[in-house]
Amino acid sequence: MLLARAGLNVLLVDPLPRGTDTLSTHALMRGAVLQLCRWGLLDAVRARGTPPIATTTFHYGDEAIRIEIKPGDGVDALYAPRRTVLDAILVDAACAAGAEVVHGLSVSALTRDGSGRVRGVQLTDSARDVTDVSTDLVIGADGVRSKVARLLGAEVSTQTPHTAASVYGYWKGLPNDGNHWYYDTGVSIGTIPTNERATCVFAAVSSADFHSNRSKGLEVVHRGALERVDPGLASRVDRGERTGKLRAFAGIPGFLRRSTGPGWALVGDAGYFKDPITAHGITDALRDAELLSRAVVRGGAKTLAEYEATRNRLSRGLLDTTDRIASFEWDLEEVKDLHLRLSREMKTEVERILEFDSEPQP
């Protein structure tokens, strides 16, 4: 979308149909809401019935700390749209800006010139027919298991040691009184209001805990985590109406990966991933989309390297703090301090996003 708005010719290739759902906590932190507002897309998120989230409450055992979301810079509240909503809005905006969007094709190979510079891709459809596309730049925005990154051999520069596992589902009938984050020994729960009057309820535990109980079924893992952190919450969820099946993410280590090179770049989870326990992945992805697009429009290998350096600077504190939370090797006082540290990192991120508006337009 941003590259097309800047006048570049853009081909967006997605192997999945438009509006396909994906694993997500859905939560947009302040930086993400700010980005959507700046890009003129926040009204579309609201128009799809995404409820505003005016408060966030942190529960540390029996202690609850409620935080009001302060309006400012076009951010009136937080939001947590379903990915079927958010992704469709972004694709429609890319089309409206002039990007060509094609669903049902996958990148099967990269093409290079004699110097090794990436010069294009081979695309394969469901019938295994191959199309060659030449391009000045290939951007891999294809997620944590990025095939583009594998084809490039893009090395991981930083990897975190801990992983958490998450089980989540959607319930109707729960009160919409903002985001709630619950913490107790060995467990974290999030309740996040989203579209269609549903609430995403996710339970995070250590990967070891998840795998030791996985054979009992996802319902047992999820219900057991709720009961451990707050029996009252478990009862409220029991009285609600679950829509759809529970889904699970078994966890993988966080990483920073080399994300630029001759004729290529990586963005989003393809280049930088951290555990979803802090629900910050979408916010990072939107931030980095603008960092990268501005670098591309300015042109040159130096600007791409600056994109990666800025991404790393903004991400390392978030990555390290998230990894510490995902370790579950904390007591309640320490996890409070970790959340304060996370808050400081997010403020730095918002400050950088606000700087975009004072920079020359690409």
Side-chain angles (χ1 to χ4, degrees):
M1 178 193 73
L2 296 172
L3 293 172
R5 285 181 177 181
L8 277 68
N9 295 324
V10 178
L11 172 64
L12 171 61
V13 177
D14 189 340
L16 300 175
R18 180 184 181 277
T20 299
D21 202 5
T22 189
L23 289 166
S24 181
T25 58
H26 311 301
L28 305 182
M29 299 303 169
R30 191 176 192 92
V33 179
L34 175 59
Q35 288 293 75
L36 293 176
C37 178
R38 292 178 59 254
W39 298 340
L41 303 181
L42 188 55
D43 284 344
V45 171
R46 296 189 189 106
R48 292 291 302 273
T50 312
I53 297 169
T55 61
T56 294
T57 304
F58 291 86
H59 301 260
Y60 303 104
D62 295 330
E63 181 184 10
I65 300 174
R66 185 179 176 91
I67 300 171
E68 304 282 339
I69 307 303
K70 296 179 180 178
D73 301 311
V75 177
D76 62 335
L78 301 183
Y79 295 86
R82 289 290 299 265
R83 291 296 295 271
T84 50
V85 171
L86 178 62
D87 293 12
I89 288 171
L90 290 168
V91 168
D92 289 348
C95 290
E100 180 182 355
V101 179
V102 178
H103 292 276
L105 295 180
S106 300
V107 174
S108 53
L110 302 175
T111 55
R112 302 174 185 264
D113 63 18
S115 70
R117 180 186 177 89
V118 174
R119 291 295 183 181
V121 294
Q122 289 185 347
L123 303 176
T124 304
D125 62 18
S126 59
R128 298 188 178 181
D129 291 330
V130 175
T131 301
D132 289 308
V133 177
S134 298
T135 180
D136 294 321
L137 183 69
V138 173
I139 297 176
D142 51 337
V144 67
R145 295 179 176 85
S146 169
K147 185 169 185 179
V148 174
R150 292 200 307 273
L151 291 170
L152 288 164
E155 66 273 16
V156 171
S157 58
T158 300
Q159 182 166 297
T160 57
H162 301 108
T163 61
S166 301
V167 180
Y168 74 94
Y170 303 93
W171 275 263
K172 292 186 177 181
L174 300 184
N176 178 1
D177 58 347
N179 287 336
H180 286 260
W181 312 102
Y182 298 80
Y183 297 88
D184 216 324
T185 304
V187 63
S188 171
I189 305 293
T191 63
I192 308 164
T194 186
N195 299 89
E196 299 176 353
R197 299 181 180 179
T199 298
C200 176
V201 182
F202 81 82
V205 297
S206 70
S207 290
D209 191 356
F210 174 78
H211 288 296
S212 66
N213 290 287
R214 176 67 179 88
S215 62
K216 301 174 186 177
L218 296 182
E219 286 79 5
V220 172
V221 176
H222 190 269
R223 181 61 169 74
L226 294 180
E227 185 70 30
R228 283 164 58 188
V229 80
D230 188 330
L233 172 63
S235 296
R236 291 193 295 276
V237 171
D238 285 344
R239 293 193 298 270
E241 175 193 353
R242 196 178 87 197
T243 61
K245 297 180 179 180
L246 293 178
R247 301 181 69 179
F249 174 67
I252 63 172
F255 60 80
L256 282 168
R257 176 181 277 143
R258 182 190 173 201
S259 293
T260 58
W264 63 271
L266 302 173
V267 72
D269 284 351
Y272 156 49
F273 170 79
K274 62 183 181 306
D275 197 281
I277 197 169
T278 51
H280 201 267
I282 300 173
T283 304
D284 283 337
L286 299 186
R287 175 200 76 190
D288 293 346
E290 182 149 8
L291 286 171
L292 177 56
S293 67
R294 286 173 173 265
V296 170
V297 173
R298 290 198 306 272
K302 182 179 179 180
T303 62
L304 289 181
E306 289 171 353
Y307 147 71
E308 184 170 350
T310 301
R311 182 206 65 180
N312 290 352
R313 176 175 59 81
L314 292 172
S315 302
R316 288 189 186 279
L318 291 165
L319 179 65
D320 292 343
T321 305
T322 296
D323 180 66
R324 181 62 188 159
I325 295 171
S327 75
F328 289 105
E329 296 171 356
W330 38 256
D331 58 26
L332 294 181
E333 289 303 315
E334 182 181 357
V335 81
K336 283 185 196 177
D337 291 339
L338 291 170
H339 286 134
L340 291 174
R341 188 188 308 173
L342 200 68
S343 176
R344 290 192 293 270
E345 295 291 344
M346 288 193 290
K347 287 179 181 177
T348 299
E349 181 176 64
V350 168
E351 289 168 0
R352 180 62 187 91
I353 291 170
L354 289 171
E355 289 175 0
F356 287 140
D357 294 326
S358 62
E359 295 173 356
Q361 290 295 317

